[in-house]
Amino acid sequence: MNWGIKVLLGMGTFMSFIIVLVVIMFNSKTDALVDNDYYEKGINYDKVYNLKEQVNIDHAKPEIVVSKETISLVFKEQAKGNLRLMRTSDKRLDRAMTFETDQNRQLLIPAQHLPKGSWRLIVEWESQSKKYLIEQEINIK
């Protein structure tokens, strides 16, 4: 076996390796870390930032308690709005709902049907004509 055959075998092996990587790349799922609506989120960044800051200014952050059966949110005042539970590992498990607190300014979310693990809780609400937004990581056990 002379050096010419060795060079051709090396080049052929390298080209095969590159072709296999390209095929794997095109057949893989899309990256879960990339948002499909990143453009809209970029445009609304100031609005979201101001809503988060309003929580700090008014000390309006709800108390969040996570147990095996429920996720409990206790607000400072009566509130109504939207809640999203986003599963960090599987977008298909995401949940969204509208809510209104009870007489005790409390919101109970059943958690027994939610898979265990890490979730991102996003709550956007209105209370006393002011709008607020919080995002928090929670862990369901």
Side-chain angles (χ1 to χ4, degrees), residues 72-89:
S72 171
L73 287 90
V74 180
F75 291 85
K76 305 288 183 196
E77 300 292 334
Q78 291 290 337
K80 66 178 184 176
N82 300 313
L83 177 134
R84 287 185 296 165
L85 280 167
M86 298 175 67
R87 179 67 174 200
T88 52
S89 63

Side-chain angles (χ1 to χ4, degrees), residues 84-86 88 118-122 135-138:
R84 287 185 296 165
L85 280 167
M86 298 175 67
T88 52
S118 178
W119 291 80
R120 182 175 229 22
L121 176 68
I122 302 171
E135 292 185 30
Q136 183 172 334
E137 294 286 332
I138 61 171

Side-chain angles (χ1 to χ4, degrees), residues 109-120:
I109 304 160
Q112 64 264 24
H113 299 295
L114 296 173
K116 296 177 183 178
S118 178
W119 291 80
R120 182 175 229 22

Side-chain angles (χ1 to χ4, degrees), residues 66-71 109-114 116 140-141:
V66 180
S67 69
K68 291 181 181 179
E69 295 83 26
T70 61
I71 302 168
I109 304 160
Q112 64 264 24
H113 299 295
L114 296 173
K116 296 177 183 178
I140 298 177
K141 297 177 183 177

Side-chain angles (χ1 to χ4, degrees), residues 12-89:
T13 304
F14 178 73
M15 290 189 321
S16 299
F17 174 73
I18 296 298
I19 290 170
V20 167
L21 286 180
V22 168
V23 169
I24 290 172
M25 182 186 73
F26 278 113
N27 289 333
S28 67
K29 296 186 303 184
T30 58
D31 191 1
L33 298 176
V34 176
D35 285 328
N36 292 332
D37 57 349
Y38 66 90
Y39 183 72
E40 290 81 13
K41 285 186 178 182
I43 290 174
N44 295 325
Y45 179 78
D46 286 338
K47 177 186 168 196
V48 170
Y49 178 79
N50 290 336
L51 292 174
K52 289 179 181 178
E53 281 301 308
Q54 192 66 43
V55 172
N56 294 331
I57 292 168
D58 294 343
H59 306 287
K61 184 176 180 183
E63 180 184 337
I64 301 170
V65 178
V66 180
S67 69
K68 291 181 181 179
E69 295 83 26
T70 61
I71 302 168
S72 171
L73 287 90
V74 180
F75 291 85
K76 305 288 183 196
E77 300 292 334
Q78 291 290 337
K80 66 178 184 176
N82 300 313
L83 177 134
R84 287 185 296 165
L85 280 167
M86 298 175 67
R87 179 67 174 200
T88 52
S89 63

